[in-house]
Amino acid sequence: MNQAKDRRRSGNPAVRAAAARITAAGGQPRITWRNWVGGARLRTLPLAVAPVAAGAGIAHMVRDFSWPLSLLALAVAVFLQIGVNYANDYSDGIRGTDDFRVGPARLTGSGLVEPKRVLALALGFFALAAISGLAAVALSGRWWFLALGVLAILAAWFYTGGKRPYGYAGLGEVMVFIFFGLVATVGTVYLQSDVQTQEAWFAGAGVGLFAVAVLVVNNLRDIPTDRLAGKRTLSVRIGATASRVLYILCVLLPFAVPLLFGFVNPGMVLVWFVLLLVVPAVLIVLWGRTPRELILVLQLTSFAALAYGILLGVGFAF
């Protein structure tokens, strides 16, 4: 089994490059700050910012906006996102999933860093998210948010961690929609306001669909390698064609929100500019076939998610 694993590792260009760097350093891994930053996967941070921006705009609409609470909500979302990225690096690496991966070398899977160091960093960011959440709870007095915070951290860990990670069972999209859409958006509003608003739930659904779209196109790109690794993502289960259809639905349905609320919130007209990013992405998904093209879609969708969350918040606030 170990020999087979070694053969798989030697076939991965990213791992071969990492091995060359290790050999050049006299057999010792040579880690740089760029490796650590790469492990954080900063390109995913728009998914953490978007729901908070939308929620803050709705809090402003109901006259309950608070800069300190909004910034603390943002800190929780960003720290959780970075924490889950490092946790995924650790879990996928020790499980051997990244042995099949083609692309930039991961910290754990490439052997650049001891797994325990990556795990410690993931736990450190989860701790920072918890501290930010405690500060927000203490400032707002909404102690029931503590239970929500625990659930969010558990969801972040068990995406690829544990014996039965739900990300390997095709449930990643569901949890992303819940936590990076509904929970983050509605939570940002209710952290600041006692006003019950339907806008928060609609906005959360719209932002959540964009987050799902990012995950779908990422998993669409990785279908061949995920199959080899035994990772049964939703895209592996439903296939490439259905994944493309799902992606298109996820990036177009969010525009029902500005359509629904545009009559009472004129600022919603700004949200339609996000189509300048969405339309090219949809065209590439329809006609593109190479991983490079899907990486471009991934980038466009991440920026679209960020723009959607911010402009939705502005549309509700003004």
Side-chain angles (χ1 to χ4, degrees), residues 5 9 15 31 35-36 39 41 85-96 98-99 105-119:
K5 185 175 181 179
R9 282 182 178 273
V15 174
I31 188 73
N35 298 117
W36 291 111
R41 307 181 201 180
N85 288 341
Y86 282 121
N88 291 348
D89 189 302
Y90 167 79
S91 297
D92 285 343
I94 64 171
R95 188 172 276 111
D98 284 339
D99 295 345
R106 295 293 184 224
L107 294 170
T108 306
S110 66
L112 283 172
V113 183
E114 292 183 4
K116 289 182 179 180
R117 294 178 64 187
V118 181
L119 175 60

Side-chain angles (χ1 to χ4, degrees), residues 104-243:
R106 295 293 184 224
L107 294 170
T108 306
S110 66
L112 283 172
V113 183
E114 292 183 4
K116 289 182 179 180
R117 294 178 64 187
V118 181
L119 175 60
L121 194 58
L123 295 178
F125 275 101
F126 287 152
L128 289 173
I131 292 170
S132 301
L134 284 171
V137 167
L139 188 60
S140 66
R142 288 166 168 79
W143 295 99
W144 61 272
F145 265 81
L146 291 177
L148 192 61
V150 171
L151 287 175
I153 292 175
L154 290 175
W157 172 255
F158 285 107
Y159 175 58
T160 57
K163 293 183 179 179
R164 295 183 178 180
Y166 63 82
Y168 282 53
L171 297 175
E173 286 78 2
V174 174
M175 300 302 284
V176 162
F177 177 79
I178 292 173
F179 283 96
F180 282 92
L182 299 178
V183 171
T185 306
V186 177
T188 299
V189 177
Y190 288 173
L191 185 66
Q192 305 175 57
S193 175
D194 291 320
V195 178
Q196 306 292 316
T197 63
Q198 62 178 354
E199 287 88 347
W201 293 97
F202 279 100
V207 172
L209 285 170
F210 265 107
V212 170
V214 171
L215 184 57
V216 168
V217 74
N218 181 77
N219 290 341
L220 172 63
R221 180 198 61 188
D222 293 340
I223 284 178
T225 54
D226 283 343
R227 279 177 177 158
L228 289 173
K231 188 175 182 179
R232 301 281 294 169
T233 64
L234 181 62
S235 290
V236 169
R237 290 172 179 269
I238 67 177
T241 300
S243 294

